[in-house]
Amino acid sequence: MPDSRSLPSDTAPGLSPARWLLRSTLHDPQRLPETLAAFAVRRFGPTAARSVARIKNDHPDVDATGLRALVIARGWRATVSEGAFVGGPFLIFVPVAFCAALLRQARTVLELAALKGGDPTADDRAAELLVLQGVHENVGRARDALAACHRKQAATGRRTALRRPAMLWYLTLRMARVLGLLTASEHTGWSHRLVQACRWVLLGLVFLVGIVAPLIWMPYMALSYHQATTRLTDRATAFYFTDAATVSRRRSHLDPSLIAGAARTLLSLLLPVVLVVVTLLTGARIADSSWPVVGIVLFIASVVVGAVWHWRRRGGRKSGG
């Protein structure tokens, strides 16, 4: 496996890591996971080591389980906030939001590895991340994929020019799968296929709502990021701390907070429909048309929902430390 530091690493001047990752993977979306893993270790490995050292220093009386919970909780909050708020308001920024969420998830995994005593800057952390994301079956195959990615980049060079919209769309779907927002069902029965179909329909409705009332779909994205990051950190906990049974048992029960979050998300998605119907029934008009009024109402509702969501997230971060 080549040294991950030999892969292109430096972000361009003025570009955030998320935007750099997006530009660097547009020419070859298929190798997004490998590019992400190598870049995350190189960019955030040292940061992860410092973060874990700081957490241990700030909480000297907390045991290993408590420290792990602190790392995971902070990773959840940061992934939701960076992913949903960076790109949530407008569909055009969704690819950037996905990149930000992917990088934050990767940093959380690196912090868990560091908490176990591993070196978060080591090349093997990139291979382990690919396994935990479900991209490759084992570390050996992940190493081979990283080596192949390195050889291809060395042969073709870095091409970061934007490509046609179809390429961006494919990359966005690829990121959603790596993030865990789109998951393949392990079952083949008709009931499981129906569940998958319903998820796709819901996702389509969310995108439609996002077009007319962008900020309203932020709670949906926040819930999706939370669930996906929970699955990833559960796998990382089992991988690094060998307590898979404990993880499985903890996740076997429905989380009341997630149920409440799902209910709030559903209400936020229904809100635009209700507002449109009420506006049309009241007969309010501007220039003999109801649609300008509908547009104004949706805009105000979008801003209100987005502001409430952001306020709740800020409150959660403050209370959580």
Side-chain angles (χ1 to χ4, degrees), residues 40-76:
V41 169
R42 192 170 51 245
R43 177 82 183 207
F44 297 113
T47 304
R50 291 192 297 269
S51 296
V52 168
R54 185 164 53 250
I55 289 175
K56 289 181 177 179
N57 183 67
D58 293 342
H59 303 85
D61 298 327
V62 177
D63 62 10
T65 301
L67 292 173
R68 191 163 68 232
L70 288 172
V71 169
I72 291 174
R74 190 174 66 170
W76 282 339

Side-chain angles (χ1 to χ4, degrees), residues 103-127:
L103 289 171
R104 194 57 183 82
Q105 282 187 346
R107 176 176 166 178
T108 302
V109 171
L110 293 175
E111 289 179 354
L112 288 172
L115 195 59
K116 177 60 177 177
D119 179 4
T121 66
D123 296 330
D124 275 350
R125 298 297 87 78

Side-chain angles (χ1 to χ4, degrees), residues 108-288:
T108 302
V109 171
L110 293 175
E111 289 179 354
L112 288 172
L115 195 59
K116 177 60 177 177
D119 179 4
T121 66
D123 296 330
D124 275 350
R125 298 297 87 78
E128 292 165 0
L129 177 61
L130 291 173
V131 173
L132 292 172
Q133 290 173 328
V135 178
H136 297 288
E137 294 180 0
N138 53 60
V139 173
R141 291 190 179 184
R143 289 196 189 103
D144 293 341
L146 286 165
C149 181
H150 168 68
R151 289 193 297 269
K152 183 170 183 178
Q153 288 181 336
T156 62
R158 292 172 61 186
R159 294 176 295 168
T160 57
L162 293 178
R163 294 302 187 91
R164 58 186 182 276
M167 185 69 78
L168 182 60
W169 173 247
Y170 176 80
L171 177 61
T172 302
L173 290 179
R174 181 73 169 151
M175 287 189 288
R177 291 189 180 95
V178 176
L179 266 171
L181 301 180
L182 297 177
T183 57
S185 175
E186 298 178 355
H187 306 278
T188 57
W190 68 268
S191 60
H192 298 287
R193 288 196 294 269
L194 178 61
V195 170
Q196 289 294 100
C198 290
R199 289 175 178 172
W200 278 99
V201 170
L202 177 60
L203 182 61
L205 291 175
V206 169
F207 270 83
L208 291 176
V209 170
I211 293 174
V212 297
L215 294 176
I216 284 181
W217 79 320
M218 288 173 64
Y220 172 86
M221 294 306 299
L223 181 67
S224 299
Y225 283 130
H226 180 86
Q227 292 174 324
T229 304
T230 297
R231 290 191 292 267
L232 177 63
T233 54
D234 280 352
R235 290 193 295 270
T237 299
F239 184 88
Y240 289 118
F241 301 93
T242 64
D243 54 357
T246 301
V247 174
S248 177
R249 185 165 58 251
R250 181 172 63 85
R251 302 306 307 169
S252 63
H253 302 286
L254 290 177
D255 187 340
S257 65
L258 287 183
I259 296 176
R264 290 194 298 268
T265 298
L266 180 60
L267 289 175
S268 70
L269 294 177
L270 291 176
L271 180 61
V273 178
V274 174
L275 290 176
V276 169
V277 172
V278 171
T279 301
L280 294 176
L281 290 177
T282 59
R285 293 174 176 270
I286 295 179
D288 294 328

Side-chain angles (χ1 to χ4, degrees), residues 77 81 307-321:
R77 291 194 298 269
S81 298
V308 170
W309 179 88
H310 186 50
W311 175 78
R312 289 178 63 88
R313 293 305 309 168
R314 286 174 59 89
R317 288 198 297 272
K318 290 178 180 179
S319 62

